[in-house]
Amino acid sequence: MMARIIGLTGGIASGKSTMAKFFREKGAAVLNVDAIAHHLSKPKRALYKIYVQHFGEEILQPDGTLDRRAIGRKVFADETERQWLNDHTHPILAHVMRQQIACMQKKNFPLIILDVPLLFEAGWDKMTEENCLVFVDEATQLARLMQRNGYTEEEARGRIAAQMPLSEKKKRADTFIDNSGSLEESFLQAEKLWKEWTHAGIS
């Protein structure tokens, strides 16, 4: 029997990566789209070439690698640029993700989790059987993002605003992890979901 495919998503700085790590340690195969994008953004690889061709060499650091923060400033300040970025990167990332899913399905994993921040925005929820939303309240999200990434409040709000509103994500998700409280409380919610997902269909 093939492993179930679960989408794991959440707003930026919601704690989604912490939950993904929890599920990986439980034995799930976790496919992280940000890690795939980072790999493809290295010099001479697919996304790197697209970025440099579009933005020019001003987005390169002295060592020739991409200046991700410079790219971020461009795309989060301009809706047209952000749409261009999504239109050109999502198909490449989706192709690689499908390849990795096929590879993981040949192995003995109890669950395959797609760790994707823009799961609904990109339409990747069509790849999954169920989707889980990790969320925190807006004030907590803003504070965590500023502290974690060193963003100004304006930069942080821009990145939050670029994502689908939490209210809309809640409508689309099947299950939830409320990460506003302690980590222990979040892990208890995750443990319950793990048991539901891995024992589904078993009498």
Side-chain angles (χ1 to χ4, degrees):
M1 190 170 104
M2 282 193 176
R4 296 183 75 203
I5 301 174
I6 304 294
L8 183 69
T9 192
I12 188 169
S14 63
K16 176 182 56 62
S17 297
T18 301
M19 295 302 106
K21 182 182 178 185
F22 174 89
F23 291 125
R24 181 183 286 112
E25 290 174 351
K26 295 291 289 186
V30 177
L31 303 180
N32 182 304
V33 71
D34 286 342
I36 295 172
H38 185 73
H39 176 75
L40 294 176
S41 297
K42 292 181 178 179
K44 299 184 179 179
R45 292 181 176 152
L47 296 187
Y48 179 94
K49 293 177 181 177
I50 288 173
Y51 291 142
V52 175
Q53 184 176 22
H54 181 72
F55 294 116
E57 295 189 358
E58 64 185 271
I59 58 156
L60 295 180
Q61 300 191 90
D63 64 357
T65 58
L66 293 175
D67 184 339
R68 298 171 69 87
R69 191 154 185 175
I71 296 172
R73 282 194 294 268
K74 288 178 178 293
V75 301
F76 287 106
D78 187 330
E79 176 63 32
T80 303
E81 291 286 25
R82 187 160 68 248
Q83 191 59 52
W84 174 88
L85 186 78
N86 292 339
D87 289 345
H88 286 78
T89 61
H90 285 175
I92 295 171
L93 294 169
H95 176 71
V96 175
M97 182 67 85
R98 288 190 180 95
Q99 288 181 321
Q100 294 200 5
I101 289 171
C103 180
M104 292 301 104
Q105 283 177 328
K106 295 175 183 176
K107 301 179 181 180
N108 194 31
F109 286 102
L111 207 65
I112 298 173
I113 290 181
L114 308 189
D115 180 358
V116 184
L118 302 182
L119 184 75
F120 300 123
E121 291 92 329
W124 290 16
D125 50 322
K126 296 179 181 66
M127 297 186 196
T128 65
E129 297 168 53
E130 189 173 315
N131 298 295
C132 177
L133 175 67
V134 182
F135 70 93
V136 294
D137 61 84
E138 185 179 344
T140 300
Q141 182 183 24
L142 183 65
R144 286 182 183 177
L145 183 56
M146 291 171 65
Q147 182 179 16
R148 187 189 75 183
N149 291 49
Y151 290 149
T152 64
E153 183 173 341
E154 182 181 6
E155 285 178 316
R157 288 191 182 278
R159 279 152 178 76
I160 292 171
Q163 297 187 336
M164 182 182 290
L166 180 60
S167 57
E168 182 60 29
K169 288 186 178 183
K170 284 184 174 180
K171 292 177 186 176
R172 300 191 185 201
D174 303 294
T175 52
F176 307 89
I177 296 175
D178 183 350
N179 199 28
S180 302
S182 68
L183 265 182
E184 289 74 14
E185 291 170 328
S186 298
F187 288 150
L188 284 173
Q189 296 172 67
E191 179 68 34
K192 182 181 178 183
L193 288 172
W194 173 262
K195 289 177 179 175
E196 291 175 3
W197 291 333
T198 55
H199 292 85
I202 298 176
S203 57

